[in-house]
Amino acid sequence: MIQVNRSGEVWVFAEQREGDLEDVAIELLSKGRELADQLGVKLAAVLLGDKKAEGLTEKLGHFGADKVYLVVNPLLEHYQTNSYTKVIHDLIHKYEPQVFLCGATVCGRDLAPRVASATKAGLTADCTDLQIGDHEIRRTGEVHKDLLFQIRPAFGGNIIATIINYDRWPQMATVREGVMPMPEPDGNRKVEVVRDEAHLGTQDLALEIINQHIEEKKVNLKGARVIVTGGAGVGSKANFKKIWDLAHCLGAAPGATRAAVDLGFIDHDHQIGQTGTTVRPSLYIAVGVSGAVQHVAGMSDSKKIIAINKDPNAPIFKVAHYKIVGDLNQVVPRMIDSIREKV
Amino acid sequence: MANKIVVPIKQVPETKSVKMDEKTGTVIREGVDSIVNPLDLYAIEAALRLRDRYGGEIVGISMGPKKSVKALKEAVSMGVDSAILLSDRAFAGSDTWATSLILASAIRKIGDFGLVVCGERATDGDTGQVGPGIASFLGIPALTYVSRIQDLSDKLCRAERLIEDGREILETSLPAVLTVIKEAGEPRLPTLRGKKRAKDLDVQIWGNDELGIDPDKIGLKGSPTRVVKIYRPKVARKCTIAEAKDEASVGPAVDRMCGFLADKGVLQ
Ligand SMILES: Cc1cc2nc3c(=O)[nH]c(=O)nc-3n(C[C@H](O)[C@H](O)[C@H](O)COP(=O)(O)OP(=O)(O)OC[C@H]3O[C@@H](n4cnc5c(N)ncnc54)[C@H](O)[C@@H]3O)c2cc1C
Ligand SMILES: Cc1cc2nc3c(=O)[nH]c(=O)nc-3n(C[C@H](O)[C@H](O)[C@H](O)COP(=O)(O)OP(=O)(O)OC[C@H]3O[C@@H](n4cnc5c(N)ncnc54)[C@H](O)[C@@H]3O)c2cc1C
């Protein structure tokens, strides 16, 4: 545990793979920038990797970091729990940040709890919002100023909780992907690079990576401006062609619910929701989707939502801006015709 | 193969039936159906498959109120060999840091284990932090998001994990913690014999007298995170409705919607 340190910096973990920065790191910088400005402290990115990572420092600056803590070591080439935990734990003890944020990615969810346990700090999972605020402990009247309010859904999105850690620092949280906005880069921003050493030996790598097989993503959901999602209501893989066609004529990416994936209508890469991708396109069209909380958690921030469902009471209609109550087998072909005429 | 596989199992309220006290902002747990965390069924299944292949003994553990015995019995009815409930007032209110510490202390006391197999996350607290936390307190490696366990020996475990853009195969020294995802295999159903065994089984109960953890490190007091507010999200949207109940109304409904799309600048 580190001391409560009011002048501590705001840190974000700069997740990278093979020298490519993950989007979530940029999203964290955008939120981190806001928090650091409110607290009047510096925003720093923590970047670990082998030589390939070094080229990323400037980019981190362009997206809002004042500083980059850079640790380069061949043993850090691939993310590994033990080695990364050890290096970050040492950095936290040396520089005492007040906030440390990681993306709620496979890597961040693996890393953050290890760092938190090692540092005896708390960790809030999967935040969808972060704010700065004061908290009074009713029993004692004690007021803790400028804390990080960590806001997250739990119980499958049925409730939203605000969580704080006022006495055990740093205040740590993982942040859900795709929730914070992506800022525009500013090529004029300069960044200070602080190089640090990793005190690692091969004994710090308890795991050995035997094989890593990276598949090309079959669809880019996060970058899509329009998404057409089909659910179990589409009925069959053959009928899912209607979803592909509608997506095609709108220049949209095809998405799916987990039920549609489980039924084999479409590949898992297309899944949207709690255990799939989180998206927020300009337009989201949900076809034959009931609107389970786990699905809605991944799409409710879309700017405009259209839902097509034959059940007037389907929960998806609660988040929709435009609803068509009807049979998708009649509505969708008609839409395709109508759109083709107009475009 | 090393000896014991420990499976931590959490009892959770059925998410569909979450009730809230809107005044105090707390979750009401009384009178709500409790179930085995659905994602822990995959952990149990993974452990059972390992025992089918390599032998050994599976110990289920759960931290929670006395009624969590039910969850452990369900695990036993699926084939888990024995079960220990960690129940003590002093444990109440633990966050993931304290929960991990308590579970790790119990696992150390059980001893002689090769693997700890956790679920990916619990459907209530929903953090997925306890598995890595246990590993951290035990000072052993963790493999998260495991989709398949390929091989297990006295000293090594080789497993496949799913990452965002693919999969990787890793080998870890033992003992280790695994957190498994549903790709690990469809959970089997309880057998009649299992159910009978579960009914007859005396589940041991350990409190902090047995574990001897510093009381300042557990329960509400030992938890770094504090939940200060809970509310139910309200989504109320202004919504345009077009009914397309029959053949005749489909056309006009779609046309109106395409007008809406055009207004939003989508059709260009
Ligand atoms: C831990 C956990 C994680 C999960 N993660 C995800 C996730 O990431 N993403 C996800 O999507 N789900 C997820 N789920 C599953 C989720 O709970 C739902 O089961 C799923 O979203 C339902 O998919 P659906 O809406 O396609 O199917 P259903 O719920 O079966 O809904 C089908 C809908 O289609 C309508 N319909 C049927 N026929 C027609 C027709 N001819 N015309 C018009 N409408 C029609 C029906 O009225 C119904 O509303 C998760 C569940 C759990 C427990
Ligand atoms: C609304 C709400 C939000 C919360 N948010 C946070 C938070 O952000 N950070 C935090 O530190 N705590 C949080 N908590 C507290 C947290 O829910 C508890 O600490 C809980 O005991 C364990 O966390 P989990 O449910 O997230 O389990 P997870 O970490 O999701 O569970 C993963 C696996 O660990 C095992 N496991 C977990 N709990 C037990 C158990 N009691 N017995 C046996 N095995 C178990 C199971 O194998 C399970 O599949 C929150 C609680 C509530 C009510």
Side-chain angles (χ1 to χ4, degrees):
Chain A
M1 181 181 49
I2 61 167
Q3 292 303 311
V4 170
N5 170 19
R6 300 275 166 201
S7 56
E9 295 162 345
V10 172
W11 282 13
V12 307
F13 176 60
E15 185 176 339
Q16 58 94 15
R17 203 171 294 147
E18 301 286 334
D20 283 332
L21 199 61
E22 298 288 325
D23 283 351
V24 72
I26 296 170
E27 294 164 13
L28 290 178
L29 284 172
S30 118
K31 191 66 196 185
R33 185 69 263 162
E34 234 180 273
L35 300 172
D37 288 343
Q38 260 179 289
L39 292 166
V41 300
K42 288 200 164 139
L43 171 66
V46 178
L47 178 62
L48 277 55
D50 68 348
K51 281 228 161 293
K52 292 193 286 293
E54 282 182 62
L56 292 172
T57 52
E58 258 182 40
K59 184 169 180 186
L60 291 165
H62 295 168
F63 281 105
D66 299 311
K67 259 189 191 176
V68 177
Y69 291 96
L70 175 66
V71 184
V72 173
N73 186 308
L75 292 178
L76 296 172
E77 178 183 3
H78 293 289
Y79 168 74
Q80 287 242 29
T81 320
N82 281 25
S83 50
Y84 271 60
T85 301
K86 187 157 188 282
V87 170
I88 292 175
H89 173 259
D90 290 350
L91 287 175
I92 287 174
H93 272 266
K94 188 161 168 190
Y95 298 101
E96 305 198 337
Q98 59 177 306
V99 170
F100 181 46
L101 307 176
C102 291
T105 56
V106 167
C107 162
R109 286 187 166 129
D110 188 87
L111 172 70
R114 298 301 286 252
V115 173
S117 322
T119 318
K120 301 192 175 63
L123 174 65
T124 300
D126 228 359
C127 294
T128 50
D129 194 10
L130 298 167
Q131 294 167 6
I132 302 294
D134 300 339
H135 178 70
E136 182 184 329
I137 299 177
R138 265 185 230 131
R139 198 165 35 81
T140 59
E142 204 182 337
V143 179
H144 296 274
K145 284 203 164 309
D146 291 337
L147 289 177
L148 184 68
F149 283 19
Q150 303 147 41
I151 298 158
R152 65 170 300 239
F155 287 87
N158 278 301
I159 61 164
I160 307 282
T162 303
I163 295 176
I164 56 170
N165 5 16
Y166 53 78
D167 51 0
R168 284 164 65 177
W169 279 24
Q171 304 166 81
M172 285 186 59
T174 61
V175 178
R176 194 177 277 183
E177 278 180 280
V179 174
M180 306 299 172
M182 289 277 272
E184 288 297 318
D186 172 357
N188 295 321
R189 280 188 54 100
K190 292 276 171 286
V191 69
E192 179 193 346
V193 178
V194 181
R195 280 181 178 268
D196 225 289
E197 297 289 317
H199 305 283
L200 292 175
T202 40
Q203 77 281 0
D204 291 308
L205 304 179
L207 310 171
E208 194 183 346
I209 301 181
I210 306 292
N211 180 325
Q212 210 173 22
H213 177 70
I214 306 295
E215 288 151 20
E216 276 293 305
K217 266 260 158 55
K218 296 188 185 74
V219 57
N220 177 6
L221 289 170
K222 290 191 114 180
R225 227 169 56 84
V226 182
I227 293 175
V228 179
T229 288
V234 176
S236 69
K237 186 169 180 178
N239 207 33
F240 215 82
K241 183 166 182 303
K242 293 198 175 77
I243 304 298
W244 287 94
D245 287 348
L246 180 58
H248 187 72
C249 71
L250 285 167
T257 63
R258 174 150 141 193
V261 171
D262 287 348
L263 289 165
F265 298 173
I266 190 169
D267 190 86
H268 177 265
D269 283 357
H270 296 264
Q271 183 172 317
I272 290 165
Q274 188 184 306
T275 43
T277 309
T278 301
V279 298
R280 39 184 205 171
S282 305
L283 177 68
Y284 190 93
I285 306 182
V287 184
V289 171
S290 62
V293 283
Q294 295 92 347
H295 183 74
V296 170
M299 51 65 77
S300 59
D301 284 337
S302 306
K303 302 239 161 40
K304 286 283 174 255
I305 298 169
I306 295 181
I308 301 164
N309 198 305
K310 66 179 181 188
D311 172 8
N313 299 317
I316 189 72
F317 287 144
K318 287 197 205 126
V319 296
H321 300 92
Y322 200 104
K323 62 184 196 185
I324 296 193
V325 183
D327 183 347
L328 65 92
N329 295 307
Q330 295 183 332
V331 174
V332 174
R334 192 59 199 242
M335 273 175 85
I336 294 171
D337 289 346
S338 181
I339 291 162
R340 288 219 170 107
E341 261 167 44
K342 290 211 166 73
V343 183
Chain B
M1 205 268 315
N3 16 44
K4 290 175 199 155
I5 300 174
V6 182
V7 184
I9 297 157
K10 188 176 185 190
Q11 191 174 55
V12 299
E14 233 190 317
T15 18
K16 283 205 190 79
S17 58
V18 177
K19 293 197 189 84
M20 276 193 56
D21 183 335
E22 302 274 349
K23 275 204 202 94
T24 60
T26 49
V27 179
I28 302 172
R29 294 183 189 254
E30 288 83 50
V32 176
D33 279 346
S34 295
I35 53 171
V36 173
N37 172 32
L39 300 178
D40 290 350
L41 298 175
Y42 298 102
I44 297 170
E45 178 62 30
L48 290 170
R49 287 187 188 188
L50 287 174
R51 192 189 57 190
D52 292 346
R53 248 159 81 191
Y54 303 102
E57 179 196 340
I58 305 172
V59 186
I61 60 171
S62 185
M63 183 194 90
K66 293 263 158 42
K67 66 167 189 180
S68 303
V69 159
K70 194 172 141 236
L72 288 169
K73 291 219 166 190
E74 188 171 331
V76 170
S77 71
M78 286 171 71
V80 166
D81 295 293
S82 62
I84 300 167
L85 175 67
L86 312 173
S87 198
D88 192 321
R89 277 237 149 121
F91 298 159
S94 293
D95 74 351
T96 60
W97 193 90
T99 301
S100 307
L101 176 64
I102 294 163
L103 291 171
S105 307
I107 293 165
R108 196 176 285 126
K109 188 176 156 79
I110 291 167
D112 191 31
F113 61 94
L115 282 177
V116 177
V117 186
C118 291
E120 180 199 340
R121 50 170 69 209
T123 52
D124 55 351
D126 217 353
T127 67
Q129 292 175 178
V130 170
I134 293 172
S136 192
F137 284 115
L138 291 172
I140 60 178
L143 283 185
T144 52
Y145 299 95
V146 168
S147 49
R148 204 151 62 91
I149 301 162
Q150 291 189 329
D151 201 11
L152 187 67
S153 68
D154 286 344
K155 295 211 170 59
L156 289 175
C157 173
R158 183 188 285 226
E160 176 189 84
R161 64 193 291 261
L162 286 193
I163 53 179
E164 273 92 0
D165 38 14
R167 50 193 79 225
E168 59 182 19
I169 295 165
L170 292 177
E171 207 165 69
T172 175
S173 57
L174 295 181
V177 174
L178 309 181
T179 76
V180 300
I181 54 179
K182 77 169 189 359
E183 280 71 11
E186 197 53 41
R188 63 193 69 182
L189 294 171
T191 59
L192 223 62
R193 227 183 69 202
K195 279 187 183 160
K196 172 146 193 334
R197 228 171 58 74
K199 199 164 149 258
D200 297 340
L201 185 84
D202 241 339
V203 173
Q204 287 184 61
I205 300 181
W206 291 354
N208 202 34
D209 284 345
E210 279 76 14
L211 298 182
I213 311 168
D214 175 356
D216 284 343
K217 290 190 172 158
I218 53 177
L220 211 50
K221 201 156 91 189
S223 297
T225 64
R226 315 280 150 91
V227 178
V228 291
K229 193 172 117 193
I230 287 185
Y231 70 97
R232 195 185 276 279
K234 290 199 177 63
V235 239
R237 285 221 163 122
K238 226 180 92 210
C239 181
T240 314
I241 308 169
E243 300 274 355
K245 282 206 204 77
D246 46 45
E247 208 116 357
S249 55
V250 172
V254 168
D255 290 342
R256 273 179 57 204
M257 191 205 50
C258 288
F260 172 85
L261 289 182
D263 286 350
K264 301 294 169 217
V266 180
L267 299 182
Q268 275 156 15

